[in-house]
Amino acid sequence: MVDIVLKVVADAFINGREIMDTGVSMIGLDGDNAFCGNCGREMMHDVPFRDMKSDLLFRCSCGSVNEAPRNS
Ligand SMILES: [Zn+2]
């Protein structure tokens, strides 16, 4: 399990991509911790979000839309 700070995506780049609302923290069983790239709130705990669809976006309760950082 590692802590990952997500990357904020500007509204102009959302382009109809699916957005998952993480206003309430998601808690999984085996995965990584994700933090909002804007406010630093923990959005997901032990969630394997890097195995989800790569274009999925995550909305924080602060209003920022985040994506998982690319590994490249
Ligand atoms: Zn936030």
Side-chain angles (χ1 to χ4, degrees):
M1 179 210 307
V2 295
D3 291 342
I4 296 174
V5 177
L6 301 184
K7 188 164 155 279
V8 175
V9 178
D11 287 349
F13 294 102
I14 292 175
N15 284 329
R17 288 159 69 182
E18 189 178 344
I19 300 175
M20 181 180 291
D21 196 331
T22 62
V24 176
S25 293
M26 293 171 58
I27 299 179
L29 296 174
D30 185 26
D32 298 319
N33 303 328
F35 295 85
C36 175
N38 180 51
C39 71
R41 186 180 75 91
E42 185 179 41
M43 300 166 72
M44 290 177 274
H45 187 82
D46 273 358
V47 174
F49 64 90
R50 288 187 294 175
D51 295 334
M52 296 177 184
K53 286 193 322 189
S54 61
D55 64 344
L56 191 62
L57 299 171
F58 305 97
R59 186 186 298 279
C60 177
S61 56
C62 73
S64 295
V65 175
N66 294 259
E67 67 179 359
R70 305 274 179 244
N71 287 326
S72 58

